[in-house]
């Protein structure tokens, strides 16, 4: 149980937004996190979870990077733009939107992971 809780806390503390060419958080303001723990398997040390992040774009963005340590993303969705694709490079999740999100827009991204 301690392992899963530690993993969960590490996720909460490191799931922060990154800008491609800016400092952390320069292109978005994160206003809210909703974290859903769907399944926790203590014996196998696994979990199935989702986080919905509410953000406001500070500038037009076509991609978003999130830091996600030690977890594997299974799907990503956005409420105002389709996600054209996503990829993980070590601890960074890169989300590419099908259409750019305008500056000042409030939007949410849901990341499913385990």
């Amino acid at each position: 149980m301690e392992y899963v809780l530690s993993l969960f806390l590490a996720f909460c503390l490191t799931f922060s937004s990154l800008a491609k060419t800016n400092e952390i958080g320069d292109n978005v303001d994160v206003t809210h996190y909703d974290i859903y723990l769907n399944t926790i398997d203590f014996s196998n040390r696994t979990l199935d979870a989702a986080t919905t992040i509410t953000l406001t774009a500070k500038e037009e963005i076509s991609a978003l990077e999130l830091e996600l340590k030690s977890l594997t993303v299974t799907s990503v969705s956005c409420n105002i733009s389709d996600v054209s694709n996503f990829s993980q490079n070590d601890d960074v999740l890169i989300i590419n939107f099908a259409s750019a999100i305008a500056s000042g827009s409030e939007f949410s991204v849901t990341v499913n992971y385990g």
Side-chain angles (χ1 to χ4, degrees), residues 68-82:
L68 183 64
K69 293 193 181 283
S70 304
L71 298 166
T72 301
V73 174
T74 56
S75 66
V76 178
S77 62
C78 177
N79 69 329
I80 65 170
S81 176
D82 289 336

Side-chain angles (χ1 to χ4, degrees), residues 5-56:
L5 291 177
S6 296
L7 187 61
F8 176 70
L9 288 174
F11 171 77
C12 292
L13 295 174
T14 61
F15 201 32
S16 60
S17 62
L18 299 170
K20 273 200 182 277
T21 58
N22 299 327
E23 294 296 317
I24 294 173
D26 276 357
N27 66 346
V28 293
D29 281 326
V30 176
T31 57
H32 190 76
Y33 291 96
D34 286 311
I35 301 172
Y36 307 95
L37 295 173
N38 303 319
T39 307
I40 300 174
D41 182 346
F42 294 105
S43 59
N44 291 316
R45 295 183 168 186
T46 61
L47 63 86
D48 174 46
T51 296
T52 298
I53 308 163
T54 304
L55 312 103
T56 301

